Amino acid sequence: MTVATIADLPARVTAAKADWLAASHWIGFTPVGNGPDAPGQCQATIAGQAGNGYVLEYITRNFGTPNAAYINDPEYLAERAQHATVAGRLVAVHRLRASALSLKTIIGEADYARLQDMWDEDGKRRRWSVAFPIIESFEITTRPLARDVFSPESMQRVFAHPSATLRPLGDEERAAIAGLPLSRRPTSNAWIGIEADIEAAELSEIESRFQRHIDAELGETAIEGMTKEQWGKVRLRAAWLAQKFIRMRQKKGTLRCDDCGFDPATRINGTAIKPRSLLDVHHLHPLEEGQRVTTYADFTVLCPTCHRLAHALLRSKQANEPVAS
Ligand SMILES: [Zn+2]
Ligand SMILES: [Zn+2]
C-alpha cells in the first residue's frame, strides 16, 4: 500500500490541471457558456476526462490580476508570492470525487462571494463555480519544473493553450512522470467522497461488535483536519464496510483466519455457536484512515491470537521505525 512514486498509484494519471495555486481541498472549473446546462456540461466533461484516475497538478507560469479593488489586498499579495515559488512546476497528483459540487457548497457563501468579487468579470460570478472535492492527494516532493520532465512536444500539447477543462495525458507523458516521488498528505475532504456510503451506513443496522472492533482499530480521537463528528461518520462507515466484508466472506464460505487458517466450523459443528463470533475483523492500515478512504482491501479476518499478534507487531514496528516526517 506504500506509494513512493507515481508508478505505485493504484490507478493511472489520466489528465493534468493547470492552476495558479496548489489546490488543497478542491479543484475548480469555470463553465464555458451561459446556458443553464453549462455547469452540468462542465462537470460531465471533467468527470469523463478524469475517468477513474488521478489528476496531475501543474502551476502556471503566470498569475492572474484581480479586480481593481483587490490589487493591494494582503491575501492576494500573499498568494502571488506563494505562486512565485512554484510557477511552472508539477506539484501534486489528486484523486477527485466522481461528481462535482458547487463551490458555494464547499467553501460557503461568504468565501464564494469574495472569490467572485476578486476575480470574476462583472455580473458573471461563476469563476471556479464547478468544483471537484479532492478525496486523495499526494505531493510531488521534488516539485520539478514541468519542462524538465516533459518533452517540448508534450509541453506544447498539454500546457501551451489555456483550457477550461483538464488536459488529457498520453502514454508518453505518463512514462515521463512515472518516477516522480510522492508523499501522501491528509485530505480533509476525504469524507465528502464517501457521503453516499455514510448515508447508507446510517440507515443500516450495524451489529454493535463491528463498531466496537473498528473503534478499537481506529481510535476515537479525530485525526487532524477532521471534526469529531466527521471522524464518527468515518468510523461508522468503516464498521458498516467491515460487517459487509464479513458477510461476503460468510457467503463465499471463506470465514476462517487469513493468517493461520483456523476454521471455527471444524470445531463447533452441531452447536449454536456462530463461526463469526470466534473471529475478528482487522483493519490493515489503521494509520492511513482519514488520509484515504477505507475499502474492503483494508480488511482481513483473523482469529483472536493472530489478531493480537498483528497488533503487537504493528506496535513493535512503530517503536523501532524512525517517525516519518
Ligand atoms: Zn489465526
Ligand atoms: Zn486489528
Side-chain angles (χ1 to χ4, degrees):
M1 203 56 228
T2 310
V3 173
T5 66
I6 285 183
D8 299 329
L9 289 172
R12 295 198 306 173
V13 179
T14 44
K17 168 76 162 84
D19 273 328
W20 295 350
L21 281 177
S24 51
H25 302 301
W26 52 272
I27 290 188
F29 300 88
T30 306
V32 177
N34 289 314
D37 296 342
Q41 275 167 9
C42 174
Q43 165 171 331
T45 303
I46 306 301
Q49 289 177 319
N52 220 0
Y54 290 84
V55 171
L56 174 71
E57 188 178 29
Y58 162 74
I59 305 297
T60 54
R61 305 201 74 88
N62 300 319
F63 197 62
T65 305
N67 291 324
Y70 289 87
I71 210 90
N72 291 313
D73 182 84
E75 215 171 293
Y76 163 68
L77 294 174
E79 288 186 342
R80 203 176 61 179
Q82 202 189 329
H83 169 261
T85 67
V86 284
R89 295 179 183 274
L90 302 173
V91 295
V93 285
H94 307 289
R95 199 160 213 174
L96 308 181
R97 184 184 193 251
S99 56
L101 290 173
S102 87
L103 183 54
K104 222 182 275 182
T105 310
I106 300 177
I107 65 175
E109 199 88 37
D111 282 352
Y112 182 73
R114 186 171 192 277
L115 261 188
Q116 303 309 313
D117 290 346
M118 201 161 161
W119 295 108
D120 224 341
E121 289 166 47
D122 274 350
K124 283 197 170 165
R125 304 189 74 76
R126 56 194 168 80
R127 186 64 84 97
W128 304 302
S129 59
V130 170
F132 283 75
I134 293 171
I135 59 171
E136 197 183 11
S137 182
F138 295 88
E139 189 183 345
I140 298 172
T141 51
T142 48
R143 294 179 165 186
L145 285 166
R147 61 158 189 253
D148 291 343
V149 174
F150 290 127
S151 67
E153 294 73 28
S154 287
M155 284 302 286
Q156 179 69 20
R157 198 180 69 72
V158 183
F159 297 117
H161 310 287
S163 163
T165 60
L166 293 173
R167 300 117 191 271
L169 295 185
D171 288 339
E172 188 198 328
E173 287 86 32
R174 269 189 287 276
I177 59 174
L180 296 180
L182 297 181
S183 162
R184 189 190 289 276
R185 61 182 169 207
T187 35
S188 58
N189 270 341
W191 65 278
I192 291 183
I194 52 174
E195 275 167 339
D197 282 356
I198 289 171
E199 233 165 76
E202 281 171 343
L203 294 171
S204 305
E205 253 178 68
I206 301 172
E207 277 179 54
S208 60
R209 69 188 195 95
F210 286 110
Q211 192 65 66
R212 259 196 336 268
H213 284 182
I214 289 299
D215 287 352
E217 298 286 300
L218 301 180
E220 307 219 5
T221 313
I223 60 140
E224 208 187 318
M226 240 186 242
T227 65
K228 212 177 160 209
E229 194 198 340
Q230 286 168 355
W231 185 237
K233 287 182 176 181
V234 164
R235 283 185 291 130
L236 176 72
R237 174 181 175 274
W240 172 73
L241 269 189
Q243 173 168 293
K244 296 209 318 178
F245 171 74
I246 290 294
R247 287 184 180 164
M248 214 163 67
R249 293 283 299 257
Q250 213 165 358
K251 244 188 218 164
K252 278 196 205 157
T254 57
L255 204 54
R256 58 184 90 92
C257 177
D258 284 330
D259 272 4
C260 72
F262 169 69
D263 182 353
T266 61
R267 307 286 295 275
I268 56 176
N269 261 348
T271 72
I273 304 170
K274 288 180 180 156
R276 63 193 158 100
S277 71
L278 297 173
L279 294 169
D280 296 346
V281 48
H282 171 60
H283 193 294
L284 288 165
H285 310 284
L287 300 176
E288 290 179 13
E289 180 65 53
Q291 299 184 23
R292 60 178 188 79
V293 171
T294 291
T295 67
Y296 288 134
D298 289 311
F299 293 123
T300 175
V301 180
L302 296 177
C303 74
T305 301
C306 289
H307 194 192
R308 207 160 138 185
L309 178 64
H311 281 263
L313 288 171
L314 187 68
R315 279 193 302 273
S316 136
K317 199 174 150 212
Q318 278 163 15
N320 292 326
E321 258 178 18
V323 179
S325 60

